[in-house]
Amino acid sequence: MRDVLDALMADWDAGRTSGLATVVRTFDSAPRPPGASMLVTADGRAVGSVSGGCVEGAVYELATEVAADGVPRLVRYGISDDEAFAVGLTCGGILDVFVQPVSRRTFDGLGGVREDIEAGRPVGVATVIEHPDPQWLGRHVIVWPDRFTSELPSERAGSAIAADTLGLLASGRNATLTYGTDGERLDEGMRIFFDSYAPRPRMLVFGAIDFASALARLGAFLGYRVTVCDARSVFATPARFPEVDEVVVSWPDRYFAEQVALGQVDSRTVICVLTHDPKFDVPLLELALRGPELAYIGAMGSRRTHDDRLARLRAAGLTDAELARLHSPVGLDLGSRTPEETAVSIAAEIISRQWGGSGEPLTLLDGRIHHDDLVESSHESAPSGQ
């Protein structure tokens, strides 16, 4: 929706109804990813694309119908359809496209979503795209990091969806999730599409070593925008780290200070210091531990390295409260041996820190597995009347 937001809001502000088509699922060589949108405005203009041109004509006609009759549709276009060539999708891919009418009546909370997007605040929108009761179709759950609002008839369903999409919001990812008709997990009958409007969080990995390569791959898999930084140009090369977003040759403390000054570090940022060399990691940790709020600061090293590092940081004037922000030695106790296993232990600690997990085996714990700790906002959004 982000790529058609300006045109969408022009109709919404004016009290008009648009037809919004969104790719919610893809298979094989589909040309556009989930979240790609095409809008048919109230005056008939087409904005955006769901397929790079393949099925735009068919989607345009459908979005026009949906805007007129107010009935959302979930449609599949693909080579497996009898009319695949007729609508133009000859690339062999398959698209699931959800088309909904958007107006003040059907999505009253959209104005607030726009404000969050424009301000760069994380927000996500879950939309019911499949349900046996047509009154559920097109209704929304708006999710923020600390709260949510729901248009759904079921409080249980709204709460489950909000809790389950927190991780998607944190990582800036879109996804389709399946539930029972009343929001039951591990059941079927209802599908929702979650559209996340948040930049990917950053993972800054300092030290271009084999452990960094394994951690960078896992960080990318978890949805982070991964940077590997090392002052040694012979090791910090794109060829050694093909999966990461960027490889930087710079002294770690200098690069971190630059990123803070540029506003590229926030409370979702994860820092992993793998150099275990005091000339690199101590100046960096001084800045990080005294600096802005971060999601995680971890440093690799043996117990001896850890004790020496703490002594150097205390000598630099860091307080116990500042040192308490440091996770060192880094990772959970999994008995890891290889770089890949060590990366899993670090990622497990990051996830546990982020969501309040204990790190204990679930079989040893009582109570609920899912941490449904969001609070529904008192704001009541208007239902998506069809």
Side-chain angles (χ1 to χ4, degrees), residues 93-374:
I94 299 173
L95 300 174
D96 280 354
V97 179
F98 184 70
V99 187
Q100 60 182 311
V102 179
S103 66
R104 287 182 177 273
R105 182 177 64 87
T106 64
F107 196 178
D108 183 58
L110 183 58
V113 172
R114 170 183 55 180
E115 292 176 1
D116 287 321
I117 293 174
E118 291 177 346
R121 295 186 293 263
V123 62
V125 177
T127 305
V128 179
I129 62 173
E130 188 174 354
H131 198 283
D133 184 347
Q135 294 301 312
W136 285 62
L137 294 178
R139 297 200 181 194
H140 309 94
V141 179
I142 305 174
V143 183
W144 296 271
D146 58 348
R147 68 193 190 283
F148 72 97
T149 62
S150 174
E151 300 172 351
L152 305 189
S154 165
E155 180 181 348
R156 169 183 181 171
S159 297
I161 290 169
D164 292 349
T165 54
L166 268 182
L168 296 171
L169 178 60
S171 61
R173 291 185 293 169
N174 303 331
T176 297
L177 303 178
T178 302
Y179 296 87
T181 56
D182 194 38
E184 304 91 339
R185 294 184 174 97
L186 303 180
D187 205 344
E188 297 183 350
M190 174 173 66
R191 281 202 294 157
I192 66 101
F193 178 71
F194 184 73
D195 214 348
S196 177
Y197 303 103
R200 286 184 297 160
R202 298 192 69 187
M203 174 181 283
L204 306 180
V205 180
F206 294 96
I209 61 176
D210 50 355
F211 289 93
S213 178
L215 181 59
R217 291 196 302 272
L218 188 52
F221 174 75
L222 292 174
Y224 286 95
R225 180 162 67 94
V226 181
T227 299
V228 172
C229 175
D230 198 304
R232 301 164 297 181
S233 58
V234 67
F235 297 117
T237 65
R240 296 190 66 226
F241 299 94
E243 301 90 352
V244 308
D245 293 279
E246 59 180 346
V247 179
V248 175
V249 179
S250 178
W251 279 81
D253 58 318
R254 182 184 307 159
Y255 176 72
F256 179 74
E258 291 171 351
Q259 294 302 292
V260 171
L262 292 171
Q264 297 299 307
V265 171
D266 60 28
S267 60
R268 301 178 303 149
T269 300
V270 166
I271 290 182
C272 298
V273 183
L274 309 184
T275 50
H276 48 266
D277 184 330
K279 70 175 178 290
F280 293 124
D281 58 18
V282 171
L284 168 62
L285 289 172
E286 279 189 60
L287 293 178
L289 295 172
R290 285 174 167 159
E293 179 185 357
L294 300 171
Y296 179 87
I297 306 171
M300 176 179 282
S302 65
R303 295 288 181 186
R304 174 182 292 182
T305 298
H306 169 69
D307 291 341
D308 176 71
R309 181 187 295 130
L310 287 183
R312 292 173 183 268
L313 290 170
R314 285 195 174 98
L318 271 76
T319 66
D320 288 341
E322 290 167 336
L323 292 174
R325 300 177 63 192
L326 177 62
H327 295 263
S328 174
V330 70
L332 298 184
D333 179 17
L334 304 183
S336 306
R337 291 293 184 270
T338 67
E340 290 74 19
E341 291 171 348
T342 301
V344 169
S345 78
I346 296 172
E349 185 175 45
I350 292 171
I351 295 169
S352 176
R353 172 72 176 174
Q354 181 177 18
W355 302 117
S358 67
E360 295 287 338
L362 288 172
T363 188
L364 300 180
L365 302 177
D366 296 323
R368 301 182 65 183
I369 294 175
H370 298 280
H371 292 218
D372 295 354
D373 53 1
L374 279 185

Side-chain angles (χ1 to χ4, degrees), residues 22-46:
T22 304
V23 177
V24 296
R25 198 174 183 186
T26 64
F27 307 86
D28 301 326
S29 57
R32 297 296 306 278
S37 296
M38 174 179 169
L39 180 75
V40 177
T41 64
D43 60 2
R45 291 182 299 116

Side-chain angles (χ1 to χ4, degrees), residues 51 53-56 58 77 79 83-92:
S51 68
C54 295
V55 300
E56 309 306 296
Y77 298 102
I79 199 66
E83 298 181 355
F85 282 92
V87 300
L89 192 59
T90 58
C91 61

